Amino acid sequence: MNVKIIKTGKVETVSASYGMRLIEQGKAVLAPKPAKKPDKKEAAKAGDA
């Protein structure tokens, strides 16, 4: 589970149970999933538009 520590702003990977505990205590929030990079075909379509 990826969580963002509120105090430092760092994104850390922790176990699910520890991550839930940090979130419940207000010390962390669930980190957004990283954006998927478009593959070559999708990038070419976007460039044509």
Side-chain angles (χ1 to χ4, degrees), residues 2-49:
N2 291 331
V3 294
K4 182 176 182 180
I5 306 299
I6 295 172
K7 191 173 186 179
T8 63
K10 291 174 64 176
V11 175
E12 296 185 10
T13 301
V14 297
S15 68
S17 59
Y18 183 61
M20 289 303 298
R21 179 173 290 168
L22 289 172
I23 291 169
E24 288 173 354
Q25 293 175 354
K27 295 181 180 181
V29 294
L30 191 60
K33 293 184 179 180
K36 185 186 103 173
K37 292 184 180 178
D39 61 357
K40 292 180 182 179
K41 291 180 183 178
E42 291 175 1
K45 286 183 183 179
D48 293 339

